[in-house]
Amino acid sequence: AQSVTQLDSQVPVFEEAPVELRCNYSSSVSVYLFWYVQYPNQGLQLLLKYLSGSTLVKGINGFEAEFNKSQTSFHLRKPSVHISDTAEYFCAVIPSGSARQLTFGSGTQLTVLP
Amino acid sequence: NAGVTQTPKFRVLKTGQSMTLLCAQDMNHEYMYWYRQDPGMGLRLIHYSVGEGTTAKGEVPDGYNVSRLKKQNFLLGLESAAPSQTSVYFCASTLSSSNQPQHFGDGTRLSIL
């Protein structure tokens, strides 16, 4: 079984400041990793994913994430946030051999302040 | 291209009533999923389907039933609604490979009084 821990439930940050949203996972098998974003009253949208290869992956809206196998982490970063980045962000993992069980973290609410 | 469409978007039920939530996808995806989202708990998988005519239990299946009679549709049923089932329900779909992202609908907000 897999588990995902998002260490911060709420992250307030001022506009144009950098931000890091933390995600740690636990799994006995190899996994693929995803970050999703949820804007108010909407479904989840894919930000980026790590499957293999380069540990630094770039996604939409200027976000990037780094996979660290030894620390079992997949932290999301953005060098300069905008008001429009205010949303809830979810980290998720799935066993690399199965599409059956995507496990989500509890989410991090990012609030960008003017 | 509509993607994943959920109906209805909002519903209020009384305890003991039944209802069905409909999910439709037009991407020819094999896998479909029903999740519930509750504050501070992320998304939890209720049931899923790996193809037409198949269903399987997820993490929190009790009190729910599902059916996948057509590849493009995945129905979630509540036979006797309880206040604990007040939640936001999301449907998702994906191709059969685990490296493909899931595509989500906009959710159904369900309140059980």
Side-chain angles (χ1 to χ4, degrees):
Chain A
Q2 298 73 43
S3 67
V4 179
T5 301
Q6 291 185 242
L7 297 165
D8 306 297
S9 60
Q10 308 249 2
V11 174
V13 63
F14 287 106
E15 194 173 17
E16 298 183 5
V19 70
E20 179 178 81
L21 306 184
R22 297 180 291 170
C23 172
N24 286 88
Y25 70 94
S26 172
S27 177
S28 58
V29 299
S30 62
V31 296
Y32 296 139
L33 296 128
F34 302 84
W35 274 100
Y36 285 87
V37 59
Q38 183 181 32
Y39 298 104
N41 300 315
Q42 295 186 23
L44 278 68
Q45 303 173 30
L46 180 71
L47 265 182
L48 48 79
K49 61 182 179 181
Y50 173 79
L51 304 180
S52 65
S54 173
T55 57
L56 183 64
V57 291
K58 295 189 182 298
I60 61 171
N61 301 338
F63 283 92
E64 62 182 30
E66 185 156 19
F67 171 60
N68 187 318
K69 188 174 182 179
S70 62
Q71 298 187 4
T72 60
S73 68
F74 190 52
H75 299 334
L76 181 70
R77 296 192 290 259
K78 187 170 183 178
S80 175
V81 294
H82 302 289
I83 297 289
S84 59
D85 292 323
T86 294
E88 189 151 24
Y89 292 79
F90 292 94
C91 181
V93 301
I94 192 168
S96 59
S98 170
R100 296 169 188 239
Q101 189 88 21
L102 184 65
T103 301
F104 286 88
S106 56
T108 297
Q109 174 64 43
L110 173 65
T111 302
V112 181
L113 307 167
Chain B
N1 195 342
V4 178
T5 303
Q6 292 184 232
T7 53
K9 296 189 184 304
F10 305 94
R11 187 72 183 268
V12 178
L13 291 178
K14 294 181 180 179
T15 298
Q17 288 185 316
S18 63
M19 80 161 295
T20 300
L21 280 65
L22 171 64
C23 176
Q25 54 93 6
D26 60 2
M27 297 173 284
N28 201 34
H29 284 170
E30 287 294 331
Y31 286 27
M32 297 187 74
Y33 310 83
W34 274 108
Y35 295 92
R36 60 178 289 172
Q37 183 180 28
D38 302 291
M41 303 188 73
L43 276 75
R44 293 181 292 168
L45 184 65
I46 304 171
H47 286 280
Y48 64 95
S49 169
V50 300
E52 181 178 322
T54 72
T55 63
K57 294 180 180 180
E59 181 185 355
V60 289
D62 294 341
Y64 305 95
N65 57 75
V66 288
S67 64
R68 184 106 179 261
L69 299 179
K70 293 183 178 181
K71 185 177 183 178
Q72 63 268 34
N73 296 336
F74 195 30
L75 279 61
L76 177 70
L78 285 73
E79 292 184 345
S80 179
S84 61
Q85 295 177 304
T86 293
S87 188
V88 182
Y89 292 85
F90 286 98
C91 177
S93 69
T94 189
L95 294 170
S96 57
S97 301
S98 59
N99 62 1
Q100 298 299 315
Q102 293 186 10
H103 296 257
F104 286 81
D106 287 338
T108 295
R109 293 184 177 275
L110 184 60
S111 293
I112 315 295
L113 305 178

